[in-house]
Amino acid sequence: MQTLFTKSRKRDIVLALFLTVFIICLAVIITVFFKQLYYFDIDYLKIAESTGLSREVIQKNYDVLIQYQSIFYQGSLNLPDFVMSNTGRIHFEEVKRVFEMIQITFVVTGIISAVMIYLNVKQKEYRFLPLTSFFSVAIPSVLGFFVALDFDKAFVIFHNIVFRNDYWIFDYTTDPVITILPESFFMHCFMMIIVIVIMISVLCYVLYKKKRNQILAG
């Protein structure tokens, strides 16, 4: 019981922060590459009806776009059924760099967290779990609150922070791919990220309670 409550909290906080970043990156990666969400939205948001394109064409081009976001994909983006302007192509290249950074951060924080968790578990130190649960809920909850107030405004602010130009403002006449990427789909992505993070944070807290009860019982 002493090891659970008397160790320095500094290492627990550092580990919890690394784990929180890892969890958020994991949630983003799962959401981005979970193509079934978009497949659902093709029907739910009536993307085929609004664009006049077949489901097969929409799905094929989306698959290419998502494959392009992978850190393992090297090459240019070539959508089979859409032309792209130079600024549109630059924006997708910038998006790819952002996702690649998220994927790298996921790996780095995962390795660091694994090492620190191993050391903590050896010492029967589990306080990092409720701290991780708190951080991983607090951060997306604050973001979620502001997004819920005005998603459109939050969407614009996000792009202004992440990108240093206005290339993300697509003209459907020069970059018709934007017609198959409605803003509502991105809202659904954000919601999925929040749900995944909350689920993992709850799991961390449940695991902590279980470990604490085992230590107290022992």
Side-chain angles (χ1 to χ4, degrees):
M1 186 171 67
Q2 291 299 312
T3 58
L4 186 62
F5 299 108
T6 60
K7 292 287 184 181
S8 170
R9 295 191 65 87
K10 189 174 295 184
R11 190 174 71 181
D12 297 325
I13 293 173
V14 171
L15 173 54
L17 289 173
F18 272 114
L19 266 178
T20 298
V21 174
F22 171 80
I23 291 169
I24 293 174
C25 288
L26 174 62
V28 172
I29 291 170
I30 290 174
T31 301
V32 169
F33 293 104
F34 184 70
K35 293 184 288 187
Q36 284 72 21
L37 174 62
Y38 183 75
Y39 297 166
F40 168 80
D41 269 351
I42 292 176
D43 296 324
Y44 184 76
L45 300 177
K46 295 180 170 54
I47 297 175
E49 290 87 335
S50 64
T51 61
L53 300 171
S54 69
R55 180 185 180 88
E56 291 71 23
V57 168
I58 294 171
Q59 191 167 307
K60 177 176 63 175
N61 285 271
Y62 181 78
D63 288 349
V64 171
L65 185 59
I66 293 304
Q67 181 185 16
Y68 175 72
Q69 305 304 328
S70 172
I71 197 171
F72 301 108
Y73 182 89
Q74 299 300 317
S76 59
L77 174 62
N78 294 298
L79 297 173
D81 299 286
F82 293 101
V83 296
M84 279 189 295
S85 67
N86 186 52
T87 56
R89 188 175 297 278
I90 291 173
H91 176 66
F92 281 121
E93 290 172 354
E94 292 174 336
V95 171
K96 178 176 174 61
R97 286 196 290 270
V98 171
F99 280 131
E100 286 180 339
M101 184 57 64
I102 291 173
Q103 292 168 74
I104 292 171
T105 302
F106 165 75
V107 173
V108 172
T109 55
I111 293 172
I112 295 173
S113 297
V115 173
M116 295 183 70
I117 289 172
Y118 173 76
L119 296 175
N120 276 32
V121 170
K122 280 186 66 176
Q123 299 175 0
K124 295 184 179 180
E125 170 56 73
Y126 299 104
R127 284 183 305 177
F128 68 91
L129 286 171
L131 285 171
T132 301
S133 180
F134 172 77
F135 290 146
S136 58
V137 165
I139 295 174
S141 294
V142 172
L143 293 175
F145 172 76
F146 289 106
V147 169
L149 290 178
D150 192 338
F151 180 79
D152 292 341
K153 185 175 181 179
F155 189 76
V156 172
I157 292 174
F158 168 79
H159 281 80
N160 287 334
I161 292 173
V162 175
F163 305 108
R164 298 183 179 181
N165 52 55
D166 60 357
Y167 294 169
W168 59 274
I169 304 176
F170 279 54
D171 182 344
Y172 73 92
T173 60
T174 57
D175 290 287
V177 66
I178 194 61
T179 61
I180 69 168
L181 298 170
E183 191 173 295
S184 296
F185 165 64
F186 294 106
M187 180 177 67
H188 293 166
C189 289
F190 178 78
M191 291 168 61
M192 182 173 176
I193 292 170
I194 295 296
V195 169
I196 292 173
V197 170
I198 291 176
M199 288 175 61
I200 297 176
S201 69
V202 170
L203 180 62
C204 286
Y205 189 75
V206 170
L207 183 59
Y208 167 72
K209 295 284 286 186
K210 180 179 179 181
K211 290 297 183 181
R212 187 184 68 171
N213 290 338
Q214 287 177 350
I215 291 173
L216 293 175

